[in-house]
Amino acid sequence: CMKGTSMGNQRPADGVALALNPSHASKGKGQRLLVRNYMTPICEVPSTGPNATIVEAVATMKHQEVSKILVVQSGVAIGLLTLNCVLQEVIIAGRSKESPVKDIMVQDLHTIDCDSTHDDAVHLLHKKVVHCLVVSGEDGQCLGVVTSYDIARLDAKLLHVSITNASTCSVSHERSAHDREDYG
């Protein structure tokens, strides 16, 4: 499992084949990469309740090796606790580490629909200057999250696939030209 700043374990978002879903291809634009195909599912997202203490939440973050944790109440995402929140509020401002998470969490969550494109997610992260989007379904329920780390990892994988495909095409093209010279 790859861990780091993402909110969950690495999944088959190396399922680039899954992410490039032809059933969602738009006319004239080819295949679209959808958020639903590479998000971290909610069942894999580290979370805590709003009344958990900051120290309990940080222990969970440390154990999960993540830099942010979703704050959930009755199955609804209501906030996000980041290491930056802890740094600013506990270390710098001197708030008690026994304070509830709800006192320092980011409450302004940015959401994206699960059928939004990869480009939409990249644009929203950049526009809002955030590193995490909550992914919602048709009825507004939280299905998972997409982080800037998820996007960077997926973009690296897509680049690798593009380079590999370009190299294969180039070798195939050179071989065809060579074959014509020998037999033409």
Side-chain angles (χ1 to χ4, degrees):
C1 289
M2 177 178 264
K3 299 203 178 179
T5 57
S6 177
M7 289 186 70
N9 297 336
Q10 184 173 351
R11 295 156 319 288
D14 307 315
V16 173
L18 273 178
L20 294 171
N21 187 342
S23 67
H24 289 88
S26 57
K27 194 174 179 179
K29 291 190 179 182
Q31 297 172 331
R32 296 186 320 161
L33 187 59
L34 301 179
V35 169
R36 75 166 52 248
N37 298 116
Y38 66 93
M39 68 180 189
T40 301
I42 192 65
C43 62
E44 295 178 21
V45 176
S47 64
T48 191
N51 294 317
T53 65
I54 295 167
V55 75
E56 290 168 337
V58 169
T60 300
M61 293 165 75
K62 180 174 175 16
H63 176 73
Q64 295 286 328
E65 298 179 2
V66 295
S67 62
K68 57 188 82 55
I69 189 168
L70 204 57
V71 182
V72 178
Q73 184 172 31
S74 303
V76 177
I78 62 166
L80 187 68
L81 182 68
T82 68
L83 288 179
N84 193 41
C85 295
V86 175
L87 176 67
Q88 289 180 11
E89 294 293 326
V90 177
I91 305 300
I92 296 172
R95 182 183 298 267
S96 169
K97 61 186 179 184
E98 297 301 324
S99 299
V101 166
K102 66 184 176 190
D103 290 353
I104 68 167
M105 69 183 186
V106 175
Q107 294 179 26
D108 186 20
L109 296 178
H110 299 283
T111 61
I112 190 163
D113 185 84
C114 62
D115 289 321
S116 296
T117 66
H118 177 65
D119 289 344
D120 293 337
V122 170
H123 176 73
L124 187 57
L125 282 170
H126 179 74
K127 179 181 173 186
K128 298 295 183 178
V129 192
V130 294
H131 295 283
C132 182
L133 300 173
V134 175
V135 181
S136 61
E138 291 178 14
D139 57 0
Q141 86 278 19
C142 177
L143 299 178
V145 298
V146 170
T147 66
S148 53
Y149 179 78
D150 295 328
I151 288 175
R153 185 180 61 219
L154 181 62
D155 284 347
K157 180 71 173 177
L158 291 170
L159 181 60
H160 175 75
V161 169
S162 293
I163 290 170
T164 301
N165 289 342
S167 296
T168 303
C169 290
S170 176
V171 168
S172 174
H173 176 71
E174 288 173 20
R175 198 173 279 148
S176 295
H178 184 272
D179 291 346
R180 282 194 300 273
E181 291 173 13
D182 288 345
Y183 300 107

mmCIF file of all heavy atoms in Angstrom, residues 71-119:
data_model
loop_
_atom_site.group_PDB
_atom_site.id
_atom_site.type_symbol
_atom_site.label_atom_id
_atom_site.label_comp_id
_atom_site.label_asym_id
_atom_site.label_seq_id
_atom_site.Cartn_x
_atom_site.Cartn_y
_atom_site.Cartn_z
ATOM 1 N N VAL A 71 -14.169 14.355 9.107
ATOM 2 C CA VAL A 71 -14.984 14.396 10.321
ATOM 3 C C VAL A 71 -16.418 14.068 9.893
ATOM 4 O O VAL A 71 -16.999 14.763 9.057
ATOM 5 C CB VAL A 71 -14.909 15.770 11.013
ATOM 6 C CG1 VAL A 71 -15.737 15.759 12.291
ATOM 7 C CG2 VAL A 71 -13.457 16.142 11.305
ATOM 8 N N VAL A 72 -16.951 12.983 10.452
ATOM 9 C CA VAL A 72 -18.247 12.458 10.033
ATOM 10 C C VAL A 72 -19.190 12.402 11.227
ATOM 11 O O VAL A 72 -18.793 12.013 12.333
ATOM 12 C CB VAL A 72 -18.072 11.046 9.429
ATOM 13 C CG1 VAL A 72 -19.405 10.450 9.027
ATOM 14 C CG2 VAL A 72 -17.115 11.082 8.249
ATOM 15 N N GLN A 73 -20.445 12.806 10.991
ATOM 16 C CA GLN A 73 -21.479 12.717 12.025
ATOM 17 C C GLN A 73 -22.718 12.121 11.387
ATOM 18 O O GLN A 73 -23.213 12.643 10.378
ATOM 19 C CB GLN A 73 -21.786 14.098 12.600
ATOM 20 C CG GLN A 73 -22.782 14.062 13.738
ATOM 21 C CD GLN A 73 -22.907 15.414 14.412
ATOM 22 O OE1 GLN A 73 -22.741 16.456 13.781
ATOM 23 N NE2 GLN A 73 -23.187 15.394 15.696
ATOM 24 N N SER A 74 -23.198 11.029 11.935
ATOM 25 C CA SER A 74 -24.367 10.320 11.413
ATOM 26 C C SER A 74 -24.224 10.013 9.929
ATOM 27 O O SER A 74 -25.167 10.179 9.152
ATOM 28 C CB SER A 74 -25.643 11.137 11.656
ATOM 29 O OG SER A 74 -25.803 11.406 13.023
ATOM 30 N N GLY A 75 -23.026 9.601 9.520
ATOM 31 C CA GLY A 75 -22.791 9.228 8.134
ATOM 32 C C GLY A 75 -22.608 10.383 7.163
ATOM 33 O O GLY A 75 -22.465 10.179 5.970
ATOM 34 N N VAL A 76 -22.608 11.607 7.671
ATOM 35 C CA VAL A 76 -22.462 12.789 6.815
ATOM 36 C C VAL A 76 -21.128 13.462 7.105
ATOM 37 O O VAL A 76 -20.781 13.709 8.262
ATOM 38 C CB VAL A 76 -23.623 13.791 7.073
ATOM 39 C CG1 VAL A 76 -23.447 15.054 6.252
ATOM 40 C CG2 VAL A 76 -24.966 13.140 6.781
ATOM 41 N N ALA A 77 -20.378 13.769 6.032
ATOM 42 C CA ALA A 77 -19.107 14.485 6.184
ATOM 43 C C ALA A 77 -19.415 15.930 6.562
ATOM 44 O O ALA A 77 -20.081 16.644 5.826
ATOM 45 C CB ALA A 77 -18.318 14.433 4.880
ATOM 46 N N ILE A 78 -18.938 16.340 7.746
ATOM 47 C CA ILE A 78 -19.223 17.709 8.217
ATOM 48 C C ILE A 78 -17.969 18.565 8.339
ATOM 49 O O ILE A 78 -18.060 19.762 8.594
ATOM 50 C CB ILE A 78 -19.967 17.696 9.570
ATOM 51 C CG1 ILE A 78 -19.106 17.035 10.654
ATOM 52 C CG2 ILE A 78 -21.316 17.018 9.438
ATOM 53 C CD1 ILE A 78 -19.613 17.283 12.067
ATOM 54 N N GLY A 79 -16.812 17.942 8.168
ATOM 55 C CA GLY A 79 -15.580 18.712 8.292
ATOM 56 C C GLY A 79 -14.367 17.891 7.927
ATOM 57 O O GLY A 79 -14.457 16.711 7.589
ATOM 58 N N LEU A 80 -13.233 18.558 8.006
ATOM 59 C CA LEU A 80 -11.958 17.941 7.686
ATOM 60 C C LEU A 80 -10.936 18.457 8.686
ATOM 61 O O LEU A 80 -10.826 19.668 8.895
ATOM 62 C CB LEU A 80 -11.551 18.335 6.264
ATOM 63 C CG LEU A 80 -10.338 17.677 5.662
ATOM 64 C CD1 LEU A 80 -10.604 16.194 5.403
ATOM 65 C CD2 LEU A 80 -9.975 18.366 4.349
ATOM 66 N N LEU A 81 -10.241 17.553 9.329
ATOM 67 C CA LEU A 81 -9.157 17.943 10.233
ATOM 68 C C LEU A 81 -7.853 17.691 9.512
ATOM 69 O O LEU A 81 -7.605 16.586 9.033
ATOM 70 C CB LEU A 81 -9.201 17.148 11.534
ATOM 71 C CG LEU A 81 -8.116 17.532 12.543
ATOM 72 C CD1 LEU A 81 -8.360 18.933 13.091
ATOM 73 C CD2 LEU A 81 -8.038 16.518 13.662
ATOM 74 N N THR A 82 -7.024 18.721 9.417
ATOM 75 C CA THR A 82 -5.729 18.602 8.756
ATOM 76 C C THR A 82 -4.623 18.849 9.770
ATOM 77 O O THR A 82 -4.850 19.458 10.826
ATOM 78 C CB THR A 82 -5.592 19.627 7.618
ATOM 79 O OG1 THR A 82 -5.537 20.944 8.179
ATOM 80 C CG2 THR A 82 -6.752 19.524 6.631
ATOM 81 N N LEU A 83 -3.438 18.387 9.439
ATOM 82 C CA LEU A 83 -2.297 18.667 10.310
ATOM 83 C C LEU A 83 -2.058 20.168 10.404
ATOM 84 O O LEU A 83 -1.621 20.661 11.446
ATOM 85 C CB LEU A 83 -1.047 17.951 9.814
ATOM 86 C CG LEU A 83 -1.045 16.443 10.018
ATOM 87 C CD1 LEU A 83 0.233 15.828 9.466
ATOM 88 C CD2 LEU A 83 -1.212 16.084 11.485
ATOM 89 N N ASN A 84 -2.382 20.901 9.357
ATOM 90 C CA ASN A 84 -2.256 22.352 9.385
ATOM 91 C C ASN A 84 -3.192 22.963 10.432
ATOM 92 O O ASN A 84 -2.815 23.892 11.148
ATOM 93 C CB ASN A 84 -2.519 22.943 7.996
ATOM 94 C CG ASN A 84 -2.099 24.384 7.914
ATOM 95 O OD1 ASN A 84 -1.061 24.766 8.429
ATOM 96 N ND2 ASN A 84 -2.909 25.185 7.247
ATOM 97 N N CYS A 85 -4.425 22.434 10.539
ATOM 98 C CA CYS A 85 -5.359 22.900 11.579
ATOM 99 C C CYS A 85 -4.753 22.703 12.962
ATOM 100 O O CYS A 85 -4.802 23.588 13.822
ATOM 101 C CB CYS A 85 -6.674 22.110 11.540
ATOM 102 S SG CYS A 85 -7.692 22.265 10.088
ATOM 103 N N VAL A 86 -4.189 21.514 13.164
ATOM 104 C CA VAL A 86 -3.590 21.185 14.462
ATOM 105 C C VAL A 86 -2.404 22.104 14.736
ATOM 106 O O VAL A 86 -2.272 22.644 15.842
ATOM 107 C CB VAL A 86 -3.163 19.702 14.505
ATOM 108 C CG1 VAL A 86 -2.423 19.379 15.795
ATOM 109 C CG2 VAL A 86 -4.379 18.786 14.336
ATOM 110 N N LEU A 87 -1.571 22.300 13.750
ATOM 111 C CA LEU A 87 -0.406 23.170 13.906
ATOM 112 C C LEU A 87 -0.834 24.590 14.295
ATOM 113 O O LEU A 87 -0.334 25.153 15.271
ATOM 114 C CB LEU A 87 0.405 23.200 12.607
ATOM 115 C CG LEU A 87 1.598 24.136 12.580
ATOM 116 C CD1 LEU A 87 2.673 23.656 13.540
ATOM 117 C CD2 LEU A 87 2.165 24.237 11.173
ATOM 118 N N GLN A 88 -1.781 25.145 13.548
ATOM 119 C CA GLN A 88 -2.218 26.519 13.803
ATOM 120 C C GLN A 88 -2.935 26.671 15.135
ATOM 121 O O GLN A 88 -2.698 27.631 15.870
ATOM 122 C CB GLN A 88 -3.131 27.005 12.678
ATOM 123 C CG GLN A 88 -2.405 27.250 11.389
ATOM 124 C CD GLN A 88 -3.334 27.725 10.286
ATOM 125 O OE1 GLN A 88 -4.482 28.065 10.521
ATOM 126 N NE2 GLN A 88 -2.836 27.752 9.061
ATOM 127 N N GLU A 89 -3.826 25.747 15.449
ATOM 128 C CA GLU A 89 -4.679 25.905 16.629
ATOM 129 C C GLU A 89 -4.064 25.384 17.928
ATOM 130 O O GLU A 89 -4.276 25.967 18.983
ATOM 131 C CB GLU A 89 -6.037 25.226 16.397
ATOM 132 C CG GLU A 89 -6.862 25.891 15.321
ATOM 133 C CD GLU A 89 -7.309 27.287 15.725
ATOM 134 O OE1 GLU A 89 -7.572 27.541 16.920
ATOM 135 O OE2 GLU A 89 -7.398 28.141 14.816
ATOM 136 N N VAL A 90 -3.340 24.287 17.866
ATOM 137 C CA VAL A 90 -2.793 23.689 19.087
ATOM 138 C C VAL A 90 -1.366 24.172 19.338
ATOM 139 O O VAL A 90 -1.053 24.680 20.412
ATOM 140 C CB VAL A 90 -2.853 22.141 19.034
ATOM 141 C CG1 VAL A 90 -2.225 21.525 20.270
ATOM 142 C CG2 VAL A 90 -4.299 21.681 18.882
ATOM 143 N N ILE A 91 -0.523 24.036 18.345
ATOM 144 C CA ILE A 91 0.890 24.382 18.529
ATOM 145 C C ILE A 91 1.080 25.897 18.610
ATOM 146 O O ILE A 91 1.704 26.404 19.532
ATOM 147 C CB ILE A 91 1.760 23.793 17.393
ATOM 148 C CG1 ILE A 91 1.564 22.284 17.257
ATOM 149 C CG2 ILE A 91 3.228 24.162 17.591
ATOM 150 C CD1 ILE A 91 1.921 21.485 18.493
ATOM 151 N N ILE A 92 0.512 26.626 17.655
ATOM 152 C CA ILE A 92 0.735 28.076 17.606
ATOM 153 C C ILE A 92 -0.195 28.840 18.547
ATOM 154 O O ILE A 92 0.258 29.664 19.339
ATOM 155 C CB ILE A 92 0.602 28.600 16.157
ATOM 156 C CG1 ILE A 92 1.709 27.990 15.299
ATOM 157 C CG2 ILE A 92 0.656 30.124 16.109
ATOM 158 C CD1 ILE A 92 1.590 28.268 13.814
ATOM 159 N N ALA A 93 -1.500 28.550 18.485
ATOM 160 C CA ALA A 93 -2.465 29.315 19.289
ATOM 161 C C ALA A 93 -2.605 28.795 20.721
ATOM 162 O O ALA A 93 -3.210 29.461 21.565
ATOM 163 C CB ALA A 93 -3.832 29.320 18.598
ATOM 164 N N GLY A 94 -2.099 27.596 21.000
ATOM 165 C CA GLY A 94 -2.114 27.075 22.360
ATOM 166 C C GLY A 94 -3.419 26.440 22.816
ATOM 167 O O GLY A 94 -3.633 26.244 24.001
ATOM 168 N N ARG A 95 -4.283 26.088 21.898
ATOM 169 C CA ARG A 95 -5.534 25.408 22.262
ATOM 170 C C ARG A 95 -5.202 24.040 22.853
ATOM 171 O O ARG A 95 -4.229 23.400 22.452
ATOM 172 C CB ARG A 95 -6.414 25.249 21.026
ATOM 173 C CG ARG A 95 -7.763 24.597 21.330
ATOM 174 C CD ARG A 95 -8.568 24.381 20.071
ATOM 175 N NE ARG A 95 -8.896 25.627 19.402
ATOM 176 C CZ ARG A 95 -10.017 26.323 19.586
ATOM 177 N NH1 ARG A 95 -10.906 25.888 20.459
ATOM 178 N NH2 ARG A 95 -10.236 27.431 18.929
ATOM 179 N N SER A 96 -6.017 23.570 23.765
ATOM 180 C CA SER A 96 -5.801 22.275 24.401
ATOM 181 C C SER A 96 -5.956 21.146 23.395
ATOM 182 O O SER A 96 -6.911 21.129 22.607
ATOM 183 C CB SER A 96 -6.807 22.067 25.534
ATOM 184 O OG SER A 96 -6.766 20.717 25.982
ATOM 185 N N LYS A 97 -5.058 20.188 23.452
ATOM 186 C CA LYS A 97 -5.153 19.031 22.565
ATOM 187 C C LYS A 97 -6.304 18.110 22.969
ATOM 188 O O LYS A 97 -6.654 17.188 22.248
ATOM 189 C CB LYS A 97 -3.826 18.267 22.532
ATOM 190 C CG LYS A 97 -3.385 17.716 23.859
ATOM 191 C CD LYS A 97 -2.013 17.102 23.767
ATOM 192 C CE LYS A 97 -1.600 16.590 25.139
ATOM 193 N NZ LYS A 97 -0.252 16.077 25.144
ATOM 194 N N GLU A 98 -6.913 18.409 24.111
ATOM 195 C CA GLU A 98 -8.089 17.654 24.558
ATOM 196 C C GLU A 98 -9.390 18.293 24.053
ATOM 197 O O GLU A 98 -10.475 17.780 24.309
ATOM 198 C CB GLU A 98 -8.116 17.552 26.082
ATOM 199 C CG GLU A 98 -6.931 16.777 26.663
ATOM 200 C CD GLU A 98 -6.827 15.339 26.153
ATOM 201 O OE1 GLU A 98 -7.873 14.684 25.931
ATOM 202 O OE2 GLU A 98 -5.685 14.873 25.963
ATOM 203 N N SER A 99 -9.287 19.397 23.323
ATOM 204 C CA SER A 99 -10.468 20.044 22.735
ATOM 205 C C SER A 99 -11.082 19.124 21.690
ATOM 206 O O SER A 99 -10.378 18.317 21.072
ATOM 207 C CB SER A 99 -10.082 21.360 22.050
ATOM 208 O OG SER A 99 -9.533 22.260 22.958
ATOM 209 N N PRO A 100 -12.396 19.261 21.461
ATOM 210 C CA PRO A 100 -13.019 18.436 20.421
ATOM 211 C C PRO A 100 -12.588 18.882 19.021
ATOM 212 O O PRO A 100 -12.344 20.072 18.782
ATOM 213 C CB PRO A 100 -14.518 18.646 20.635
ATOM 214 C CG PRO A 100 -14.640 19.912 21.402
ATOM 215 C CD PRO A 100 -13.357 20.086 22.169
ATOM 216 N N VAL A 101 -12.527 17.929 18.130
ATOM 217 C CA VAL A 101 -12.143 18.179 16.742
ATOM 218 C C VAL A 101 -13.021 19.254 16.109
ATOM 219 O O VAL A 101 -12.545 20.086 15.336
ATOM 220 C CB VAL A 101 -12.223 16.851 15.944
ATOM 221 C CG1 VAL A 101 -12.168 17.079 14.459
ATOM 222 C CG2 VAL A 101 -11.139 15.899 16.399
ATOM 223 N N LYS A 102 -14.314 19.256 16.445
ATOM 224 C CA LYS A 102 -15.245 20.210 15.822
ATOM 225 C C LYS A 102 -14.834 21.667 16.055
ATOM 226 O O LYS A 102 -15.219 22.541 15.288
ATOM 227 C CB LYS A 102 -16.669 19.974 16.311
ATOM 228 C CG LYS A 102 -16.884 20.256 17.788
ATOM 229 C CD LYS A 102 -18.291 19.916 18.215
ATOM 230 C CE LYS A 102 -18.442 20.108 19.715
ATOM 231 N NZ LYS A 102 -19.711 19.573 20.196
ATOM 232 N N ASP A 103 -14.035 21.922 17.092
ATOM 233 C CA ASP A 103 -13.609 23.288 17.385
ATOM 234 C C ASP A 103 -12.559 23.819 16.411
ATOM 235 O O ASP A 103 -12.402 25.031 16.280
ATOM 236 C CB ASP A 103 -13.043 23.393 18.810
ATOM 237 C CG ASP A 103 -14.119 23.252 19.872
ATOM 238 O OD1 ASP A 103 -15.329 23.213 19.526
ATOM 239 O OD2 ASP A 103 -13.743 23.168 21.060
ATOM 240 N N ILE A 104 -11.831 22.919 15.750
ATOM 241 C CA ILE A 104 -10.757 23.397 14.876
ATOM 242 C C ILE A 104 -10.844 22.876 13.441
ATOM 243 O O ILE A 104 -10.045 23.262 12.594
ATOM 244 C CB ILE A 104 -9.354 23.068 15.445
ATOM 245 C CG1 ILE A 104 -9.085 21.571 15.430
ATOM 246 C CG2 ILE A 104 -9.178 23.656 16.836
ATOM 247 C CD1 ILE A 104 -7.614 21.226 15.673
ATOM 248 N N MET A 105 -11.800 22.004 13.150
ATOM 249 C CA MET A 105 -11.882 21.405 11.811
ATOM 250 C C MET A 105 -12.258 22.445 10.759
ATOM 251 O O MET A 105 -12.872 23.469 11.056
ATOM 252 C CB MET A 105 -12.910 20.274 11.799
ATOM 253 C CG MET A 105 -14.338 20.744 11.942
ATOM 254 S SD MET A 105 -15.470 19.353 12.018
ATOM 255 C CE MET A 105 -17.039 20.229 12.010
ATOM 256 N N VAL A 106 -11.885 22.153 9.530
ATOM 257 C CA VAL A 106 -12.321 22.948 8.389
ATOM 258 C C VAL A 106 -13.764 22.549 8.124
ATOM 259 O O VAL A 106 -14.057 21.368 7.933
ATOM 260 C CB VAL A 106 -11.452 22.643 7.143
ATOM 261 C CG1 VAL A 106 -11.984 23.371 5.918
ATOM 262 C CG2 VAL A 106 -9.999 22.981 7.408
ATOM 263 N N GLN A 107 -14.669 23.524 8.148
ATOM 264 C CA GLN A 107 -16.082 23.209 7.955
ATOM 265 C C GLN A 107 -16.554 23.454 6.528
ATOM 266 O O GLN A 107 -17.574 22.927 6.108
ATOM 267 C CB GLN A 107 -16.928 24.029 8.923
ATOM 268 C CG GLN A 107 -16.679 23.640 10.361
ATOM 269 C CD GLN A 107 -17.505 24.458 11.333
ATOM 270 O OE1 GLN A 107 -18.570 24.960 10.995
ATOM 271 N NE2 GLN A 107 -17.020 24.590 12.549
ATOM 272 N N ASP A 108 -15.801 24.240 5.796
ATOM 273 C CA ASP A 108 -16.174 24.576 4.431
ATOM 274 C C ASP A 108 -15.630 23.514 3.482
ATOM 275 O O ASP A 108 -14.581 23.682 2.869
ATOM 276 C CB ASP A 108 -15.616 25.969 4.077
ATOM 277 C CG ASP A 108 -16.081 26.455 2.718
ATOM 278 O OD1 ASP A 108 -17.099 25.937 2.211
ATOM 279 O OD2 ASP A 108 -15.409 27.343 2.163
ATOM 280 N N LEU A 109 -16.361 22.393 3.391
ATOM 281 C CA LEU A 109 -15.924 21.302 2.529
ATOM 282 C C LEU A 109 -16.289 21.602 1.078
ATOM 283 O O LEU A 109 -17.360 22.145 0.800
ATOM 284 C CB LEU A 109 -16.582 19.991 2.947
ATOM 285 C CG LEU A 109 -16.222 19.473 4.327
ATOM 286 C CD1 LEU A 109 -16.990 18.192 4.626
ATOM 287 C CD2 LEU A 109 -14.732 19.232 4.440
ATOM 288 N N HIS A 110 -15.408 21.241 0.190
ATOM 289 C CA HIS A 110 -15.661 21.421 -1.233
ATOM 290 C C HIS A 110 -16.023 20.064 -1.807
ATOM 291 O O HIS A 110 -15.315 19.079 -1.594
ATOM 292 C CB HIS A 110 -14.429 22.014 -1.921
ATOM 293 C CG HIS A 110 -14.071 23.344 -1.364
ATOM 294 N ND1 HIS A 110 -14.764 24.500 -1.681
ATOM 295 C CD2 HIS A 110 -13.139 23.714 -0.473
ATOM 296 C CE1 HIS A 110 -14.249 25.516 -1.021
ATOM 297 N NE2 HIS A 110 -13.255 25.058 -0.268
ATOM 298 N N THR A 111 -17.141 20.020 -2.513
ATOM 299 C CA THR A 111 -17.626 18.744 -3.030
ATOM 300 C C THR A 111 -17.573 18.723 -4.555
ATOM 301 O O THR A 111 -17.585 19.769 -5.206
ATOM 302 C CB THR A 111 -19.068 18.468 -2.566
ATOM 303 O OG1 THR A 111 -19.930 19.492 -3.067
ATOM 304 C CG2 THR A 111 -19.165 18.408 -1.060
ATOM 305 N N ILE A 112 -17.547 17.508 -5.066
ATOM 306 C CA ILE A 112 -17.590 17.291 -6.505
ATOM 307 C C ILE A 112 -18.452 16.060 -6.748
ATOM 308 O O ILE A 112 -18.437 15.115 -5.956
ATOM 309 C CB ILE A 112 -16.165 17.133 -7.095
ATOM 310 C CG1 ILE A 112 -16.217 17.159 -8.614
ATOM 311 C CG2 ILE A 112 -15.471 15.891 -6.561
ATOM 312 C CD1 ILE A 112 -14.868 17.412 -9.275
ATOM 313 N N ASP A 113 -19.217 16.087 -7.807
ATOM 314 C CA ASP A 113 -20.077 14.971 -8.171
ATOM 315 C C ASP A 113 -19.228 13.800 -8.672
ATOM 316 O O ASP A 113 -18.212 14.009 -9.346
ATOM 317 C CB ASP A 113 -21.056 15.416 -9.262
ATOM 318 C CG ASP A 113 -22.059 14.342 -9.589
ATOM 319 O OD1 ASP A 113 -23.079 14.228 -8.888
ATOM 320 O OD2 ASP A 113 -21.807 13.590 -10.561
ATOM 321 N N CYS A 114 -19.661 12.589 -8.363
ATOM 322 C CA CYS A 114 -18.886 11.404 -8.742
ATOM 323 C C CYS A 114 -18.752 11.239 -10.251
ATOM 324 O O CYS A 114 -17.811 10.603 -10.723
ATOM 325 C CB CYS A 114 -19.485 10.153 -8.116
ATOM 326 S SG CYS A 114 -21.164 9.790 -8.658
ATOM 327 N N ASP A 115 -19.661 11.816 -11.026
ATOM 328 C CA ASP A 115 -19.596 11.710 -12.478
ATOM 329 C C ASP A 115 -18.895 12.899 -13.129
ATOM 330 O O ASP A 115 -18.903 13.043 -14.351
ATOM 331 C CB ASP A 115 -20.991 11.519 -13.072
ATOM 332 C CG ASP A 115 -21.548 10.141 -12.752
ATOM 333 O OD1 ASP A 115 -20.761 9.169 -12.779
ATOM 334 O OD2 ASP A 115 -22.751 10.033 -12.480
ATOM 335 N N SER A 116 -18.260 13.744 -12.316
ATOM 336 C CA SER A 116 -17.459 14.840 -12.857
ATOM 337 C C SER A 116 -16.187 14.272 -13.466
ATOM 338 O O SER A 116 -15.744 13.181 -13.105
ATOM 339 C CB SER A 116 -17.089 15.835 -11.752
ATOM 340 O OG SER A 116 -18.237 16.448 -11.232
ATOM 341 N N THR A 117 -15.601 15.030 -14.357
ATOM 342 C CA THR A 117 -14.383 14.561 -15.014
ATOM 343 C C THR A 117 -13.152 14.853 -14.161
ATOM 344 O O THR A 117 -13.187 15.689 -13.268
ATOM 345 C CB THR A 117 -14.197 15.228 -16.386
ATOM 346 O OG1 THR A 117 -13.964 16.622 -16.196
ATOM 347 C CG2 THR A 117 -15.390 14.991 -17.291
ATOM 348 N N HIS A 118 -12.085 14.194 -14.524
ATOM 349 C CA HIS A 118 -10.783 14.419 -13.895
ATOM 350 C C HIS A 118 -10.396 15.889 -14.051
ATOM 351 O O HIS A 118 -9.937 16.520 -13.095
ATOM 352 C CB HIS A 118 -9.756 13.495 -14.559
ATOM 353 C CG HIS A 118 -8.360 13.665 -14.076
ATOM 354 N ND1 HIS A 118 -7.980 13.373 -12.792
ATOM 355 C CD2 HIS A 118 -7.241 14.097 -14.712
ATOM 356 C CE1 HIS A 118 -6.690 13.616 -12.651
ATOM 357 N NE2 HIS A 118 -6.214 14.055 -13.799
ATOM 358 N N ASP A 119 -10.599 16.435 -15.230
ATOM 359 C CA ASP A 119 -10.286 17.851 -15.462
ATOM 360 C C ASP A 119 -11.089 18.761 -14.538
ATOM 361 O O ASP A 119 -10.573 19.761 -14.049
ATOM 362 C CB ASP A 119 -10.538 18.236 -16.923
ATOM 363 C CG ASP A 119 -9.520 17.632 -17.876
ATOM 364 O OD1 ASP A 119 -8.451 17.179 -17.416
ATOM 365 O OD2 ASP A 119 -9.797 17.624 -19.092
#
